[in-house]
Amino acid sequence: MTYSATARVTGPVPPPPPGRQRARGRWLLTTGLLTVLLAGTSLVAVEPLRRPLPEPTVTRTLPASTVIPGTAPTIPWPQRGQAALTVDGLGSLGTSGGSDPVPIASVAKVMTAYVILTEHPLDRGEPGPRLTVSAAQAAAYPRELARGESLVPVVAGAVFTERQALQAVLLPSANNMARILAAWDAGSVEAFVDKMNDTAAALGMADTHYTDPAGLDPGTVSTAVDQVILARKAMELPAFAEIVAQRTATLPVAGTVMNYNSLVGKDGIVGIKTGSTDEAGGCLVFAAVVTVGGRKLTIVGAVLGQPGANTPVQLDRVFRATRPLVRTAAKAIGEHAVVRAGDQVATVRGPLGAGTTINATEDLTVLGWPGMPVRLDLDLPAVPARLPAGAGHGRLTAAAGDGAAVTTALRTGEGLEPPSTWDRIRHHR
C-alpha cells in the first residue's frame, strides 16, 4: 500500500514534554518581574528630575559697616570758650565748651553778608548794584566813632557797589556799613534783623538769635556749632568766598583797608570772619583748604569766647587757638583702604552642595581719619544656576562719614554649575 507525501494528520496535537512546560513558565515569570523592576526604576529615576531645583542662596560675609583703623586724632581744643571743627563733605571732628548760646560779636556779620548775597547774588568779580550813603547815615559816623566802634569812614552821597560794601563789612568789620547794607536791603535795620533770624531758623541754627546786623549788641548770641552750619553755607556763595579770602580791599572814602583776619593765607586758611567785644571775647569762624589724594577739602570751624583785655589780645588768642585745630585736622585726613582687591564679600551655595564666592575686584579707598565709621553697601543681583568663574556680578560701595562713595565691581571665584541628571538621581537615592 502506498501513502501520499502531502497527506495531513487531522487528529489531536500531542502536548509538549513536561520539561519544556516548566522552562516556558520560568521565562514568563522572569520577564514579568523584569518589566515590573524596570518600571519601578524608571519611576524612581524620573521622580527627582520632576522637582524644581532650589535657587542658589547668598550669604554676605562682609559686614555692613566698619571703621577706619588706627587711633582717632586727638583734637587740641581751646581751654576756654567754645569750639567746633568739621571737614566739609566728610563730617565733624567734634566740639568743645558746651552748647549754650553766647555773644559772637562781629561774627554776626557772616549772616549779614549771607542774607545780602542770597537776596542780591553776585558772581566772582561782579561789582553789583550801587548804594548811596544818606546824610543821616553819614551824620551818625562821628557818634559811632566816639563809641569806639569798628567802622569805615563815609560821607553823605558816597557811592559803594554791593561788593565794596560787603568788603567793608567782612574785612575791616565795619559796623556802620552793616547797618547801611541792612537798610538798603530791607528798608530798615529792624526788618533786616527779622530776615537774619528767619534765615537762621531755616538753616537749622536752633541756638542762634540776632538783635543787630553788626554783632555789637551782646544780645546777638549763637554757638560754635551753629556758626559752622552758617559758614559752610556762606562759603558756597562764590562772591562771599572770594571776598573773605582777600587780605586788602580798596573802598570809596576809606581807601585801602586791611582784613582783620591775619590768618588768611596761612595753613591753607581762606577766611572767614573775626569778632571781638568785651562780652564775646575773641571769636573766629574759619575755613581752610587742604588737598588729600588729589581732592580738595575744606576744613570749617569756629572758636568763640577767647579771653583778653582788648581786641588785639582777644584776636591774638583766638588765632593761637585756631591754628592747631586746622593743622590737626589737615594731618588727620588721609586715604584708607577699607576693602582690598580679592577680599571675599559673600558666599553662594547652590543645590546639592555646589558653591562659589563673590569677591572685590579693586581696592576701595576712602578719605577720612582713624575711627571714622564707613558704610559698606552691597548691590548683588539674584544669582543664576550657572555662573562662570571670574564673572562680573554686583557692586560694592563704601562711604566714610558724609563723604563721597567709592565703588568697585564684584566677580565670582570658582564657577557655579547646576547639578547633572546623574547627580540629582544619585543624591535622591
Side-chain angles (χ1 to χ4, degrees):
M1 184 175 184
T2 304
Y3 295 94
S4 168
T6 61
R8 295 184 298 171
V9 178
T10 60
V13 177
R20 291 184 64 185
Q21 285 183 328
R22 288 192 296 273
R24 178 182 178 87
R26 286 195 299 270
W27 180 83
L28 289 173
L29 178 62
T30 300
T31 301
L33 288 172
L34 284 173
T35 301
V36 171
L37 287 172
L38 287 173
T41 301
S42 176
L43 289 172
V44 170
V46 170
E47 179 59 26
L49 299 181
R50 290 174 176 172
R51 300 174 185 172
L53 286 171
E55 297 293 329
T57 59
V58 178
T59 302
R60 177 172 180 155
T61 56
L62 187 75
S65 64
T66 185
V67 296
I68 295 176
T71 303
T74 300
I75 308 300
W77 299 112
Q79 295 181 356
R80 301 273 298 272
Q82 290 185 21
L85 188 63
T86 190
V87 180
D88 210 14
L90 289 183
S92 172
L93 278 159
T95 64
S96 72
S99 57
D100 292 335
V102 294
I104 58 172
S106 289
V107 164
K109 295 183 176 84
V110 176
M111 179 60 86
T112 299
Y114 182 77
V115 172
I116 291 294
L117 282 169
T118 52
E119 299 268 339
H120 312 276
L122 294 179
D123 287 334
R124 287 184 175 272
E126 184 182 4
R130 298 184 176 193
L131 56 148
T132 302
V133 178
S134 70
Q137 290 165 341
Y141 176 77
R143 297 191 301 273
E144 296 163 339
L145 188 62
R147 291 195 296 263
E149 291 193 44
S150 177
L151 308 165
V152 291
V154 294
V155 296
V159 176
F160 286 74
T161 65
E162 179 186 341
R163 176 177 292 272
Q164 289 171 330
L166 288 169
Q167 287 171 325
V169 168
L170 294 170
L171 302 187
S173 199
N175 291 352
N176 57 340
M177 190 56 68
R179 292 186 282 263
I180 291 170
L181 268 173
W184 171 73
D185 171 78
S188 71
V189 170
E190 293 75 19
F192 187 81
V193 170
D194 288 342
K195 283 189 177 184
M196 296 173 74
N197 285 311
D198 289 345
T199 302
L203 294 178
M205 299 167 64
D207 296 313
T208 297
H209 179 70
Y210 294 98
T211 58
D212 72 316
L216 182 65
D217 185 346
T220 288
V221 295
S222 187
T223 63
V225 169
D226 276 4
Q227 287 306 304
V228 168
I229 293 172
L230 175 59
R232 292 176 63 187
K233 293 295 293 184
M235 288 298 286
E236 294 176 0
L237 303 176
F240 181 92
E242 183 182 30
I243 290 170
V244 297
Q246 294 178 317
R247 296 184 184 181
T248 65
T250 302
L251 305 178
V253 185
T256 299
V257 295
M258 303 292 294
N259 190 340
Y260 277 4
N261 185 1
S262 62
L263 292 187
V264 169
K266 301 173 183 177
D267 298 316
I269 293 174
V270 292
I272 298 178
K273 186 70 188 76
T274 60
S276 64
T277 61
D278 291 343
E279 297 85 359
C283 303
L284 179 68
V285 179
F286 57 89
V289 175
V290 296
T291 301
V292 181
R295 179 182 165 192
K296 287 187 176 182
L297 300 170
T298 302
I299 300 165
V300 182
V303 177
L304 307 177
Q306 297 309 292
N310 53 45
T311 292
V313 175
Q314 292 164 352
L315 292 185
D316 178 67
R317 288 182 176 173
V318 79
F319 293 154
R320 282 192 286 159
T322 296
R323 295 187 75 174
L325 295 179
V326 173
R327 291 171 178 173
T328 299
K331 185 178 180 180
I333 306 166
E335 295 182 294
H336 302 271
V338 292
V339 174
R340 296 287 186 181
D343 282 356
Q344 178 181 301
V345 303
T347 58
V348 179
R349 182 62 56 192
L352 308 188
T356 186
T357 60
I358 304 293
N359 310 308
T361 60
E362 300 174 321
D363 291 352
L364 278 184
T365 301
V366 297
L367 289 179
W369 48 83
M372 174 179 282
V374 181
R375 301 187 315 277
L376 298 170
D377 298 326
L378 183 60
D379 178 14
L380 203 60
V383 177
R386 177 176 282 104
L387 199 57
H393 195 78
R395 304 186 74 80
L396 177 66
T397 300
D402 301 326
V406 291
T407 301
T408 181
L410 303 175
R411 64 185 173 201
T412 58
E414 298 180 355
L416 180 67
E417 294 289 337
S420 66
T421 301
W422 173 243
D423 285 338
R424 295 175 68 179
I425 294 173
R426 184 176 61 179
H427 180 77
H428 178 77
R429 293 174 61 190

